[in-house]
Amino acid sequence: QVQLLESGGGLVPAGGSLRLSCVASGSRFSYNAISWYRQAPEKRRELVATISRGSSTDYADSVKGRFTISRDNGKNTVYLQMNSLKPEDTAVYYCNIGVSGLDYWGQGTQVTVSS
């Protein structure tokens, strides 16, 4: 069974930065792509960024140039560095990994950006 634990959320003013972390256990972490999603109140969950097993990356248009996803396979951890935060980035951020055809999610970490 795979477990994901996110941390690093908080309250920041617009223009500020946060770094989210997601620690994975129970999986051969380095074999899998990892993604960050977010869900704002009354909105659908949306894909924010993905990093492949080879560390190639992909981003939603809304965060390109501001967010950076990275991974440390030795620590079974994926990061999301978020800069130039905007109020519309306010959401619960979730880590996601697919293993053997199943999707696993963390419990999420709240990010709130004040205007």
Side-chain angles (χ1 to χ4, degrees):
Q1 184 166 350
V2 179
Q3 293 183 325
L4 301 171
L5 182 63
E6 302 99 333
S7 63
L11 172 63
V12 295
S17 298
L18 283 173
R19 188 176 82 155
L20 306 183
S21 300
C22 172
V23 180
S25 61
S27 166
R28 292 183 295 182
F29 180 82
S30 63
Y31 284 55
N32 301 98
I34 310 285
S35 297
W36 283 98
Y37 285 75
R38 67 186 180 187
Q39 187 166 18
E42 300 182 0
K43 291 190 176 180
R44 299 179 68 175
R45 192 170 294 189
E46 64 173 349
L47 178 62
V48 175
T50 298
I51 186 164
S52 73
R53 57 184 289 182
S55 294
S56 61
T57 59
D58 195 24
Y59 298 92
D61 288 343
S62 58
V63 307
K64 280 181 182 176
R66 300 188 298 123
F67 290 12
T68 303
I69 189 171
S70 61
R71 65 192 298 163
D72 184 337
N73 290 335
K75 295 181 178 180
N76 275 17
T77 302
V78 64
Y79 303 99
L80 186 67
Q81 177 67 44
M82 306 186 296
N83 299 328
S84 302
L85 282 162
K86 305 175 181 180
E88 51 264 44
D89 294 318
T90 294
V92 178
Y93 284 71
Y94 298 91
C95 185
N96 169 269
I97 186 172
V99 179
S100 300
L102 297 176
D103 262 337
Y104 293 90
W105 298 89
Q107 84 292 344
T109 185
Q110 176 71 47
V111 172
T112 303
V113 184
S114 61
S115 57

